Amino acid sequence: MKCLVINLDRSRDRLAHMTAEFARIGVALERVAAIDAQDRPDLALMPLRVKRKSPLRMTDAEIACFLSHRACWAIIAAGDDAYGAIFEDDIVFSAKAGALLADAGWIPADADIVKLETFFKKTTIARKRVSAGHGFFMSRLHRTHIGTAGYILSRQAARDLVDATGDIGIPVDHVVFNPSLATSSSKTIYQLVPALCAQDQFLGDRAVGMPSLLKQDRGEQRDVIEMIKRRRKTGLNKIRTEIKRIAEQISDLCRLRQETIIPFDYRGERIRPPHTQRRENAL
């Protein structure tokens, strides 16, 4: 299957990084020129027609990121391969990544999407495991696990996503991996465990220096979102949230699901979530 890497023309250092990563695991990459928000002032005027729970408009960088992923979906949808892989240019691979990316035979027949990365946030997966070989297994993904730095799409799923996103208004990672949205809930999604890749920003002392460009752009929006969340934390809302959390835990237990943080092994070391590492350092 093709391994598509989204990369800005001005980010030559990131392309060099990804070229080295793919060489390390022995797999070829195909670069896809990312849409650059700096060259597209028209993005600020682009109509966003999908209703959102958040009152905030997508940033120009988020729109450009979405359109870049959509260009990759179109490539997979028009291709001959049953599956295609998409990567952003700030990831690192586990040592055994090449064995899986070189052969799609391990992907379950019913899989529409396989999430390859970890965002180091709690999510919920099925307890039932499907072996992927080489020390990996897959479980069905049943809760939001955002991030589109590394994932596999079936050709049909790619076609469906292209058809469903003529109008956009929600960041790409939610469109693909948020089950509250039809674009995600209608798909059979597996999570690879341990993760095949992770963004460099999560590697702590092992990071090579590839900060998230979207994270920088979202800074002001995060402040606004946090302010809105604080306003909503009334006593009644807290009770409702806790009741919902307990109900979900009971439902997951009955459906043989488990809440977990997807691990990632990098060069023989288990990478811990940033908040866990900070807690250990404090001790």
Side-chain angles (χ1 to χ4, degrees):
M1 58 183 167
K2 289 183 178 180
C3 292
L4 308 177
V5 174
I6 300 171
N7 172 252
L8 291 166
D9 289 341
R10 57 185 165 89
S11 295
R12 296 180 180 179
D13 56 334
R14 290 173 178 256
L15 179 59
H17 162 72
M18 291 304 298
T19 300
E21 280 295 301
F22 273 88
R24 179 169 65 86
I25 63 172
V27 175
L29 68 84
E30 181 176 323
R31 178 181 178 270
V32 176
I35 294 174
D36 195 337
Q38 292 187 6
D39 299 332
R40 293 285 303 273
D42 59 302
L43 295 181
L45 304 175
M46 183 175 178
L48 304 178
R49 300 175 183 173
V50 178
K51 294 182 180 179
R52 304 180 64 188
K53 292 182 179 179
S54 171
L56 301 176
R57 176 186 169 88
M58 289 172 66
T59 67
D60 291 358
E62 285 177 321
I63 297 171
C65 178
F66 194 117
L67 296 177
S68 299
H69 278 269
R70 194 169 186 267
C72 291
W73 302 343
I75 291 172
I76 296 172
D80 297 326
D81 296 332
Y83 295 94
I86 300 172
F87 298 98
E88 295 176 356
D89 62 3
D90 60 347
I91 59 102
V92 294
F93 287 116
S94 66
K96 298 179 181 179
L100 296 189
L101 294 179
D103 177 20
W106 54 274
I107 302 174
D110 64 340
D112 294 310
I113 305 172
V114 180
K115 186 173 180 65
L116 301 176
E117 71 169 319
T118 177
F119 214 64
F120 294 109
K121 299 290 185 181
K122 285 185 178 180
T123 189
T124 300
I125 61 175
R127 293 185 181 275
K128 182 179 179 180
R129 299 180 174 188
V130 178
S131 175
H134 307 283
F136 296 90
F137 68 87
M138 290 168 290
S139 292
R140 287 284 304 276
L141 185 62
H142 291 291
R143 288 279 189 275
T144 300
H145 188 198
I146 60 171
T148 46
Y151 60 106
I152 290 173
L153 285 182
S154 72
R155 185 169 57 230
Q156 186 57 56
R159 291 171 178 169
D160 292 343
L161 284 170
V162 170
D163 291 342
T165 54
D167 295 328
I168 66 172
I170 300 172
V172 64
D173 44 2
H174 284 273
V175 169
V176 182
F177 293 113
N178 187 337
S180 68
L181 303 175
T183 47
S184 176
S185 63
S186 62
K187 300 291 180 286
T188 299
I189 303 177
Y190 285 87
Q191 171 69 57
L192 189 67
V193 183
L196 196 77
C197 60
Q199 287 180 297
D200 180 68
Q201 62 176 305
F202 296 124
L203 299 186
D205 295 339
R206 305 293 295 276
V208 298
M210 295 289 165
S212 170
L213 299 180
L214 276 182
K215 187 176 181 179
Q216 297 171 9
D217 192 64
R218 287 171 172 169
E220 293 183 1
Q221 286 207 352
R222 285 200 307 275
D223 294 339
V224 174
I225 291 172
E226 287 301 317
M227 181 181 67
I228 293 172
K229 287 181 178 179
R230 286 196 296 270
R231 288 178 178 176
R232 289 177 177 174
K233 284 186 177 180
T234 64
L236 183 58
N237 283 337
K238 289 181 180 179
I239 293 173
R240 287 173 177 168
T241 299
E242 185 64 15
I243 291 174
K244 180 180 178 182
R245 184 184 66 82
I246 294 173
E248 287 179 346
Q249 287 182 338
I250 295 173
S251 175
D252 290 340
L253 183 64
C254 294
R255 297 182 181 185
L256 300 179
R257 299 173 180 175
Q258 63 176 338
E259 187 178 67
T260 187
I261 294 176
I262 307 302
F264 176 62
D265 297 326
Y266 181 57
R267 299 192 176 185
E269 179 182 348
R270 176 61 55 93
I271 303 298
R272 292 176 171 82
H275 61 275
T276 301
Q277 190 65 61
R278 286 196 299 268
R279 193 159 55 237
E280 290 180 354
N281 292 341
L283 295 174

